[in-house]
Amino acid sequence: MFDVPVSIAHALVSGLADGLEPSAGGSATALAIVLFTLAVRLLLVPLAVAAAKGERTRARLMPKVQALQKKHAKNPERLRREMAALYEAEGASPVAGCLPMFAQIPFFMVMYRLFMSATVAGHQNALLAHTLLSAPLGQNWIGVLGGGLLSPPSLVFIGLFVLLGAVAVWSSRRVTAEGPMGAVARVLPFGTVVFAAFVPLAAGLYLLVSGTWTAVERAVLQRKVVAVA
């Protein structure tokens, strides 16, 4: 299923790394992953704008939603129909805010598969031999712990976790939703810290760049794009 996308990603990342190597040296492949991730997020900007507008609409409709929930608390089916009618009348979707996250999943899976595959298009995957500050891009934190918690490769992962945690704190503090959904939205960013321990460093780097983009993008859209919508 991912063979063709993985082959395309391999060609893109390898090409970028080759072009960056004269100036970036051993970090060329890691920098190529960063650029690849930024390109993906730039491609998804229209979805992010739609999501920001959707969040603004949901916030505006919240009093009506709460009134419906109170009125039809004993009739879930009627509540579902009334909620659907309300969102349809407003041209909104209750899941619009999740579009950028869902759209990213295939790209993340391609990056994950790229650095988990020994061969790509029938050839040895040379990207697996590349590193970031001595940590193999194709290895996860659990795999490097054999060299010790404070070994150079392990310290690279720990640095990644610290940066992911900082982004998670920033993202969590900017959540404005209330209730159960708001609580989930505040906790969800911290899941990337745990998840990053079990995926290749390349995929963790993708999570870091993408998470940082999301945090900055939301701050900008909430202040500018949505304000003039």
Side-chain angles (χ1 to χ4, degrees):
M1 175 180 178
F2 285 99
D3 289 348
V4 173
V6 167
S7 296
I8 294 173
H10 182 275
L12 289 172
V13 173
S14 297
L16 282 171
D18 289 343
L20 293 167
E21 188 172 6
S23 57
S27 300
T29 302
L31 184 55
I33 294 168
V34 170
L35 294 178
F36 175 88
T37 308
L38 293 176
V40 170
R41 294 312 308 264
L42 188 62
L43 183 68
L44 298 180
V45 164
L47 290 181
V49 173
K53 291 180 179 179
E55 289 176 2
R56 178 174 180 263
T57 300
R58 286 197 304 277
R60 179 170 54 81
L61 294 178
M62 186 55 64
K64 295 182 179 179
V65 169
Q66 292 174 337
L68 287 174
Q69 290 172 335
K70 183 177 180 180
K71 182 178 180 180
H72 303 295
K74 297 182 180 180
N75 190 341
E77 181 59 27
R78 176 70 183 276
L79 175 61
R80 185 192 65 78
R81 292 199 306 269
E82 294 290 342
M83 292 273 287
L86 174 62
Y87 279 110
E88 183 178 1
E90 295 288 340
S93 169
V95 297
C98 301
L99 288 177
M101 180 182 69
F102 289 144
Q104 276 192 80
I105 292 176
F107 294 100
F108 174 80
M109 289 303 299
V110 166
M111 183 61 64
Y112 174 82
R113 287 288 298 273
L114 174 58
F115 282 88
M116 287 293 290
S117 303
T119 60
V120 176
H123 300 285
Q124 185 176 0
N125 186 1
L127 291 176
L128 297 183
H130 294 200
T131 62
L132 172 62
L133 302 177
S134 79
L137 289 168
Q139 186 64 275
N140 61 26
W141 187 50
I142 306 302
V144 304
L145 277 178
L149 180 63
L150 298 181
S151 65
S154 178
L155 289 176
V156 172
F157 276 94
I158 291 173
L160 173 68
F161 302 152
V162 170
L163 292 174
L164 283 169
V167 173
V169 169
W170 184 23
S171 300
S172 179
R173 288 179 176 176
R174 296 194 67 86
V175 173
T176 57
E178 301 295 338
M181 291 299 293
V184 171
R186 289 182 180 88
V187 173
L188 196 59
F190 294 96
T192 59
V193 183
V194 178
F195 190 59
F198 299 94
V199 298
L201 178 58
L205 193 57
Y206 180 101
L207 289 174
L208 175 62
V209 176
S210 185
T212 303
W213 178 290
T214 296
V216 175
E217 184 178 64
R218 283 179 177 172
V220 171
L221 290 176
Q222 286 174 355
R223 262 188 315 191
K224 305 213 180 261
V225 177
V226 176
V228 298

